[in-house]
Amino acid sequence: MKIAFDGKRFFNNSSGLGNYSRDLVRVLATHFPAHEYLLLNKSKTAKGESILSLTNVDFIPTSKGNLSRQLKMGKDAQNADADVFHGLSGELPLKWNKKPIRKVVTIHDLIFLKFPKYYSFFDRKIHLWKFRQAANQADRVIAISEQTKRDIIHYLKVPEHKINVVYQGCHAAFKSKKTDEERSVVKLKYSLPERFILNVGTIEERKNLLNVVKAITDSEIPLVVVGKKTRYFGHVQKYLIKNKMQQRVHFLEGVSMDELAAIYQLADIFVYPSVYEGFGIPVIEALFSGTAIITSNRSSLPEAGGPDSLYVDPYNVADLKAKVLFLWENKSERDRRAEKGLRYVTKFEDEEVAADLMRVYESLLNKQE
């Protein structure tokens, strides 16, 4: 089987959709080496070099010109004799030739419809048009959680039989125990506190960092935040200055995957009270890292966190504060939940993700014309 992928996010995105794209191609190529995997894009970048070095992964330069991703990439995949084309970020090419090819699209979330205040009017309209086009022409839609599946049915009116839920995994860096020396090097490099709670993700309103800060205001608990700053950071910073907390909250950017894995393992608690997520990869990263988790009781986060994470109403600061203090003061409880989380997270292992994806492709090719 020859499977082609829209490589835009694979080559151009550092996190989020980029990590999803690279992990997906990596697990397929590793666990199903008999097949060929084609990455289509205008050009290569340094991202994903190790994956491109695999013998069954090839780069296909797409046709040049404006809108080539929309108008030419699909035909390029067909001309390369691909059996399946997989759009990895909610989009599919608009133009195809007459060669047979099965079309798959992954839709990560529809947050722009559920929480429109986080998006401009223009972005909402463009996203909705692209997602509808892709869902309508796809032979199969992949949702990354049961929550996303329900949203696709509700908002895009896609029939349930056309949707498969295939969970995401995470980068291999989070699946290995760092040595004491590796952790010490990272701790020293970033001047991390002896004990701390951790939050990972873009610093934006939906991720709800301000409520984490409010929850620890009257304590001495240090907080480490790893993520890109947006305009919302200004609100957080203003609160920190007003409450003289600047020395207790540490902001890190430009952290490598291996360093981030060490930081997860150094943290006492991972706190992630996001208002809404299509899946919540940081929760999976924390589970693999053996770190106790507090996250939201909404959207897909209980799917990601499993039965032994602690859940909060993301808008209820008192609830969040009580649960942070409970875990902070109870090492045995942290250890118990982390150990059970390690057993739960096996459902997101590479082998499981790869097998679920391959079943989707095979079902399409086995289907009668």
Side-chain angles (χ1 to χ4, degrees):
M1 190 190 312
K2 193 178 285 191
I3 304 158
F5 302 95
D6 179 347
K8 178 181 178 181
R9 309 297 182 183
F10 181 102
F11 289 110
N12 298 322
N13 287 45
S14 297
S15 59
L17 295 173
N19 287 337
Y20 171 78
S21 300
R22 288 183 289 273
D23 280 339
L24 183 147
V25 176
R26 175 182 61 81
V27 301
L28 285 170
T30 302
H31 293 283
F32 292 92
H35 302 302
E36 187 176 353
Y37 305 93
L38 311 177
L39 284 157
L40 282 74
N41 198 43
K42 289 182 180 179
S43 60
K44 289 189 284 188
T45 69
K47 294 180 176 67
E49 281 182 339
S50 62
I51 300 167
L52 279 174
S53 69
L54 298 172
T55 57
N56 56 347
V57 180
D58 294 310
F59 170 71
I60 304 291
T62 55
S63 304
K64 305 297 183 183
N66 294 332
L67 298 176
S68 63
R69 184 169 172 240
Q70 291 77 21
L71 303 180
K72 299 175 182 178
M73 184 181 284
K75 296 177 183 178
D76 290 336
Q78 290 172 301
N79 291 334
D81 296 323
D83 301 293
V84 176
F85 183 95
H86 190 163
L88 299 171
S89 56
E91 298 180 57
L92 284 174
L94 300 175
K95 297 292 185 180
W96 306 86
N97 62 36
K98 293 183 178 180
K99 278 191 171 184
I101 192 167
R102 295 297 191 182
K103 306 177 189 74
V104 177
V105 66
T106 296
I107 294 181
H108 296 261
D109 63 68
L110 296 174
I111 297 172
F112 66 95
L113 294 174
K114 293 186 76 78
F115 294 92
K117 68 176 182 176
Y118 298 137
Y119 298 82
S120 70
F121 175 82
F122 179 76
D123 283 344
R124 294 198 307 271
K125 293 300 181 186
I126 289 294
H127 287 337
L128 180 57
W129 183 83
K130 286 181 177 179
F131 281 30
R132 275 184 175 157
Q133 286 284 333
N136 286 338
Q137 65 168 308
D139 296 293
R140 195 63 51 86
V141 176
I142 289 178
I144 61 169
S145 66
E146 292 290 345
Q147 178 63 60
T148 295
K149 177 181 176 179
R150 291 192 292 271
D151 290 345
I152 292 169
I153 293 169
H154 176 73
Y155 288 103
L156 301 183
K157 310 304 179 189
V158 176
E160 184 174 3
H161 67 81
K162 192 176 174 179
I163 307 170
N164 287 87
V165 174
V166 179
Y167 288 118
Q168 296 178 245
C170 70
H171 195 280
F174 303 99
K175 299 173 185 179
S176 62
K177 186 75 172 174
K178 301 300 177 188
T179 65
D180 290 342
E181 183 180 356
E182 288 171 326
R183 292 196 298 272
S184 294
V185 167
V186 172
K187 186 176 181 180
L188 183 63
K189 176 178 178 178
Y190 292 105
S191 302
L192 299 177
E194 191 63 31
R195 293 182 65 197
F196 59 91
I197 65 174
L198 175 66
N199 177 269
V200 176
T202 304
I203 303 171
E204 58 182 331
E205 185 178 356
R206 177 172 56 86
K207 304 287 188 180
N208 202 24
L209 176 61
L210 185 55
N211 276 358
V212 180
V213 173
K214 289 179 178 178
I216 63 169
T217 300
D218 298 325
S219 73
E220 295 300 320
I221 299 172
L223 168 65
V224 173
V225 181
V226 183
K228 181 181 175 183
K229 295 172 182 174
T230 68
R231 290 196 329 184
Y232 172 74
F233 171 74
H235 298 289
V236 178
Q237 188 177 43
K238 184 176 179 181
Y239 183 91
L240 294 175
I241 293 170
K242 180 180 178 181
N243 291 276
K244 299 181 174 57
M245 297 174 67
Q246 304 98 301
Q247 300 305 312
R248 204 147 47 86
V249 182
H250 308 254
F251 292 94
L252 309 180
E253 290 188 73
V255 176
S256 73
M257 283 293 185
D258 282 316
E259 290 172 336
L260 181 57
I263 293 170
Y264 270 109
Q265 292 177 24
L266 286 163
D268 279 42
I269 311 165
F270 177 66
V271 185
Y272 194 70
S274 177
V275 173
Y276 202 89
E277 295 292 328
F279 182 58
I281 284 184
V283 173
I284 304 302
E285 293 169 348
L287 286 170
F288 274 114
S289 300
T291 305
I293 295 167
I294 300 172
T295 188
S296 297
N297 59 6
R298 301 184 176 206
S299 66
S300 61
L301 290 166
E303 288 181 66
D308 295 290
S309 295
L310 275 179
Y311 296 97
V312 296
D313 176 344
Y315 298 109
N316 188 332
V317 175
D319 185 22
L320 180 56
K321 177 181 178 180
K323 284 170 180 165
V324 168
L325 289 173
F326 170 68
L327 283 186
W328 182 257
E329 295 168 357
N330 290 275
K331 184 179 186 303
S332 61
E333 189 65 16
R334 294 197 304 272
D335 291 346
R336 183 184 73 81
R337 291 178 181 274
E339 184 181 343
K340 289 195 170 184
L342 281 169
R343 291 201 288 268
Y344 173 76
V345 80
T346 56
K347 69 189 291 184
F348 306 114
E349 288 281 10
D350 290 353
E351 295 89 342
E352 298 291 330
V353 174
D356 288 345
L357 283 165
M358 191 52 64
R359 275 192 287 270
V360 173
Y361 301 147
E362 289 173 346
S363 71
L364 289 176
L365 293 182
N366 292 334
K367 191 167 68 173
Q368 294 297 316
E369 295 292 341

